[in-house]
Amino acid sequence: MDQVVTTLLTTMSEQLGAMIAVLGAGIAAGFAGSGSAIGIAIADEAASGIMTEDPGKFGLALLLLALPGTQGIYGLLAAFFAILKVGLLGGAAVKVTIWQGIGIFGSLMPIAIACYYSAIAQGKASAGAILLISKRPEEIGKAVILPAMVETYAVLALLLSIILMNSIKL
Amino acid sequence: MAQAERYGYTVARLRAMGHRLLDPGVFQRMLDAEDLQGALKVLNETCYASWLVEMKSEGAFDEAIEAELRYVYREIEQFVPDKALVTLCKMPYDFHNIKVLLKSSFLQKAGGNRRWDLLTQLGNYAPEFLIESLESEDYRLLPFGLRSAIPHCLAQWEQVHDILEIERQLDDLLFTQMTALAQTLDQKGAVEWVMGRIDAENIRNLLRLRRTQVETSKVAGFLHGGGIISVERLLALLGEPLESWGRLLAYTDLTGALSGLQEVSDFDTLIVEVEKALDEYVLRVVEDARFSSTAPENVLFYLWSKEMEAKNVRIILVGKASGADRDVLRGLLRHVNG
């Protein structure tokens, strides 16, 4: 019995680091994706509203609808980096200690948190911009720039997550 | 569901519907028309066209205006998350119908004719339902506190034959019911809008009563509580010259509406000017909602704008039918902003 427990604990300690990193990757992709889905839904409501009256605005609205979707892509990208780093996507096997796993998990938090909130905020900004183009379709350039400002902080979070992840030597 | 998700669609659709509101160019062209026929021709190029086709005679434009308003109310009712917002806007029409029915009943008793032609279909309840309730004296199903108010009004009529007093009581009930309904919505803007309407009605009443030089002791009864400006404060205005009303109410947003009091010397012109400014004041109460993509007050803003548009169309068409001067008509037009 003792031998079984000892084997189990040894296996766990060998794989726990990688699993913590995987947990971080899951959270990053999950939160960023959820934020994007909520953001797009908010913008979608506004787009449906104006398209009920003027279906011709679909093209313009689509451009603004797509903006909150980028955070989900950033989250997925960061998650890929993480699982690539711990060697779960092929390549040579990498041994990840618990502390290294926690480090990778921590490096994924900026992208998870910033993308979740920024996608929702961008959805609201896009909804406002969709109202703008319902009245002034010629102002589509400005209407895209306004919600795109929110994107800056999701990009910064992605940058930080990548820098932090690269700073962890395996 | 969060407010943003509930009103995102509604506000966007209302914003797009704003394109249907008549712009100043259309009003200008209607004003420039030679006669009623010319003005109707311009109106025929707008969203009113489908109703003008059904018009039985040139003079029946009121039916077309009412049909367009009814269509807009019905359309918004279908997609607005809080239907009570539409009920709130339509409630004055229900009270209008009740007043018409009561007056018709009194007229009939005195040997006159019923004026059911003055009933409107714009209320929350069909005039037929109200007629049936009143004729069968079965008030149990009547809404908005009318169940107890109507027997009271009828008893009062039997005693004093004072139609003004009955109107006053019904107006009081209307504003009480509007306030209660707005409060159930839990939307600050809706409550403020009702308060704005009460203030506008109070100022309107105050000016009319001042013109007819009604005794100060009787004026209080014609003022309704629940507005931003208290009844006591309004009563205090009676002793002051008209020019200083704007200054005395400087702490409210009404001061802009009352600025006209300083510029016009003729009382009749002044009342017309102030009425126009008060209608615009009610719109301004919820105007800030335009900057939000999720504010429920956008529903009130749009519906009041539509009401103002209908009022403008009616002013122009009535003016054209009676051959009024176009500059006079232009001065009466309300600002419509979709």
Side-chain angles (χ1 to χ4, degrees):
Chain A
M1 183 66 184
D2 286 351
Q3 202 178 355
V4 174
V5 173
T6 313
T7 315
L8 195 68
L9 288 173
T10 313
T11 316
M12 268 182 72
S13 66
E14 279 171 3
Q15 293 180 355
L16 193 59
M19 289 307 111
I20 292 171
V22 167
L23 179 67
I27 290 174
F31 267 75
S34 302
S36 279
I38 297 171
I40 289 175
I42 293 170
D44 223 7
E45 291 268 340
S48 308
I50 64 159
M51 280 192 287
T52 310
E53 292 295 312
D54 184 2
K57 295 261 165 56
F58 175 73
L60 297 176
L62 189 66
L63 198 63
L64 292 159
L65 278 177
L67 284 176
T70 49
Q71 278 85 341
I73 298 169
Y74 298 158
L76 190 68
L77 192 68
F80 265 122
F81 272 126
I83 51 180
L84 201 64
K85 192 168 180 79
V86 297
L88 292 177
L89 274 183
V94 182
K95 187 171 170 18
V96 185
T97 66
I98 293 173
W99 286 113
Q100 284 168 334
I102 291 172
I104 293 171
F105 181 92
S107 71
L108 288 165
M109 286 307 103
I111 196 78
I113 298 167
C115 279
Y116 179 76
Y117 287 107
S118 72
I120 296 172
Q122 199 170 34
K124 291 176 183 170
S126 289
I130 287 169
L131 296 191
L132 191 156
I133 58 155
S134 80
K135 192 138 184 157
R136 298 181 192 281
E138 70 279 6
E139 300 290 3
I140 181 68
K142 287 173 193 162
V144 171
I145 289 169
L146 295 176
M149 303 288 279
V150 184
E151 189 84 10
T152 315
Y153 300 94
V155 173
L156 291 180
L158 176 68
L159 195 65
L160 183 65
S161 282
I162 291 171
I163 290 170
L164 288 174
M165 221 181 307
N166 282 341
S167 68
I168 298 163
K169 303 285 177 227
L170 300 183
Chain B
M1 200 190 281
Q3 195 89 309
E5 289 163 55
R6 289 177 71 217
Y7 274 89
Y9 173 84
T10 306
V11 174
R13 187 157 171 193
L14 288 171
R15 206 58 59 85
M17 282 169 73
H19 291 295
R20 282 196 242 155
L21 290 173
L22 305 189
D23 59 41
V26 175
F27 292 130
Q28 187 57 49
R29 284 174 59 214
M30 285 176 74
L31 284 170
D32 290 340
E34 284 297 315
D35 51 15
L36 177 63
Q37 203 176 13
L40 285 171
K41 204 171 166 185
V42 175
L43 197 62
N44 213 8
E45 297 165 12
T46 68
C47 54
Y48 287 81
S50 43
W51 317 116
L52 292 175
V53 177
E54 295 168 12
M55 226 164 62
K56 288 170 192 135
S57 68
E58 256 184 22
F61 51 76
D62 240 356
E63 286 166 23
I65 296 170
E66 188 179 313
E68 168 65 11
L69 271 179
R70 204 165 56 235
Y71 172 76
V72 168
Y73 274 120
R74 208 169 38 231
E75 190 179 9
I76 293 179
E77 238 166 12
Q78 282 167 3
F79 65 81
V80 70
D82 293 307
K83 302 219 179 329
L85 283 170
V86 181
T87 308
L88 200 61
C89 294
K90 287 165 82 174
M91 208 189 283
Y93 292 113
D94 291 310
F95 278 76
H96 162 83
N97 282 344
I98 287 292
K99 284 181 195 172
V100 169
L101 289 173
L102 284 176
K103 284 180 192 174
S104 286
S105 139
F106 302 151
L107 264 174
Q108 208 178 6
K109 281 179 191 168
N113 290 324
R114 290 188 299 202
R115 294 299 311 272
W116 287 0
D117 55 309
L118 296 174
L119 291 172
T120 172
Q121 296 281 346
L122 285 167
N124 293 293
Y125 292 85
E128 294 75 24
F129 164 71
L130 300 178
I131 291 170
E132 199 185 317
S133 300
L134 259 78
E135 293 214 322
S136 61
E137 296 183 8
D138 182 6
Y139 311 120
R140 283 174 305 164
L141 296 175
L142 285 175
F144 311 132
L146 290 165
R147 179 182 170 178
S148 54
I150 289 187
H152 182 75
C153 288
L154 291 170
Q156 187 122 28
W157 175 256
E158 292 301 326
Q159 287 169 17
V160 290
H161 279 66
D162 184 355
I163 196 70
L164 264 182
E165 175 56 21
I166 288 168
E167 280 211 32
R168 189 196 66 75
Q169 284 180 15
L170 286 173
D171 283 343
D172 227 23
L173 180 64
L174 165 67
F175 288 119
T176 310
Q177 291 291 324
M178 283 178 81
T179 306
L181 185 61
Q183 280 166 349
T184 60
L185 284 167
D186 197 23
Q187 290 165 10
K188 196 168 157 257
V191 177
E192 283 174 355
W193 184 75
V194 174
M195 289 171 96
R197 285 201 68 170
I198 295 173
D199 283 337
E201 184 66 20
N202 281 342
I203 295 286
R204 205 173 280 134
N205 285 348
L206 211 55
L207 276 171
R208 287 177 188 157
L209 292 166
R210 179 144 174 160
R211 182 172 63 169
T212 48
Q213 295 183 331
V214 173
E215 285 172 46
T216 313
S217 58
K218 288 184 181 168
V219 172
F222 288 92
L223 301 177
H224 312 288
I228 295 163
I229 311 164
S230 68
V231 172
E232 293 75 27
R233 186 85 187 163
L234 287 165
L235 284 171
L237 291 178
L238 271 181
E240 303 291 338
L242 285 176
E243 300 77 39
S244 62
W245 284 19
R247 185 176 48 81
L248 291 168
L249 297 176
Y251 65 97
T252 68
D253 292 336
L254 264 166
T255 185
L258 298 175
S259 61
L261 293 171
Q262 292 168 345
E263 293 149 16
V264 191
S265 52
D266 168 32
F267 218 111
D268 289 332
T269 318
L270 183 139
I271 286 187
V272 170
E273 284 293 321
V274 172
E275 288 219 5
K276 179 182 156 187
L278 288 173
D279 279 343
E280 285 169 5
Y281 161 73
V282 174
L283 191 66
R284 272 207 310 279
V285 173
V286 282
E287 198 174 32
D288 284 351
R290 279 192 308 160
F291 305 114
S292 164
S293 57
T294 54
E297 293 82 5
N298 277 292
V299 178
L300 298 172
F301 181 80
Y302 182 82
L303 286 174
W304 192 249
S305 296
K306 190 72 193 174
E307 289 276 358
M308 290 305 101
E309 176 199 278
K311 201 175 244 185
N312 283 352
V313 171
R314 195 173 287 123
I315 288 170
I316 296 175
L317 294 180
V318 170
K320 287 289 166 193
S322 60
D325 181 62
R326 84 176 58 156
D327 289 329
V328 174
L329 291 177
R330 190 180 289 115
L332 295 174
L333 298 187
R334 271 69 174 163
H335 177 65
V336 177
N337 194 342

